[in-house]
Amino acid sequence: MSETREPNPDKELSAQNLPGQRGDHGEEIRVQRGMFGARNGGDTSGYSGLVRSVRLPGPAVRPYGSYFDEVVDELEGALEEQDLVPENAIEKVVVDRAELTLHIAREHLVRVARTLRDDPALRFELCTGVSGVHFPNDKGRELHAVYHLRSLTHGRILRLEVSVPDSDRHLPSLVSVYPTNDWHERETYDFFGLIFDGHPALTRIMMPDDWQGFPQRKDYPLGGIAVEYKGAQIPAPDQRRSYS
């Protein structure tokens, strides 16, 4: 009688126990070489030879599973009642790692958010914030805003994602729908440069007002401010010597 043996993640390396592996599925946006982006021997992590495909999850197909079909059906029906074609607002439905994400066209973001909040069958009353993401190689969609919604009434969670090009970083503010987004939108603007139109006071919240650039973008230079210590200047991480 054969015994099925589970892989030991501490000893074995395989597609079964590597996190976030999508194989050939999804949309490839770049090939990553190394771990931390250092060049010319500056990577001291031991991962300088790493080569992996970076992929975004592709659209899901029905049935989505769990309560996901019900949420999408209710949202599409509510949008149709407002004379809005659902396909014009919902660009893609993604189910990845047992989580539901709706990719929304930015011009319809406010209406979709308000519908998700107010419709009795949906009732996503709480937005716990917006996160910025920068994919420099996702051409035409380099900057993403990700909203995390929670329904206290129905005990459900949902993610909205909006992508905009780096050449046009504007998207509507959701402060009028979810007032708690006030500071979160300011932080996302501060670190990623996303401009939330209609925000009551879109100013930096962490960095000084005259700071140049957006520190959490992938194209922000490593090293930050030059620091001097006992007459010596600390080189940027990608300029430090390698110990390998």
Side-chain angles (χ1 to χ4, degrees), residues 120-210:
L122 297 168
R123 293 297 290 155
F124 285 89
E125 309 99 329
L126 177 64
C127 179
T128 58
V130 54
S131 306
V133 189
H134 184 210
F135 294 113
N137 299 102
D138 191 12
K139 300 304 181 183
R141 304 175 304 184
E142 291 87 356
L143 292 168
H144 295 230
V146 184
Y147 302 83
H148 311 275
L149 307 184
R150 181 177 294 273
S151 171
L152 304 180
T153 299
H154 301 295
R156 296 169 172 176
I157 58 175
L158 168 66
R159 183 185 296 113
L160 300 182
E161 187 164 341
V162 179
S163 58
V164 299
D166 194 15
S167 59
D168 181 11
R169 297 180 278 118
H170 292 262
L171 69 161
S173 170
L174 285 188
V175 173
S176 62
V177 182
Y178 297 110
T180 52
N181 268 19
D182 190 336
W183 286 15
H184 294 285
E185 289 182 0
R186 286 180 60 194
E187 184 174 320
T188 305
Y189 159 72
D190 196 357
F191 287 151
F192 291 90
L194 283 163
I195 301 172
F196 296 90
D197 295 328
H199 189 282
L202 192 64
T203 57
R204 290 190 183 270
I205 191 171
M206 301 293 287
M207 310 302 292
D209 289 341
D210 59 352

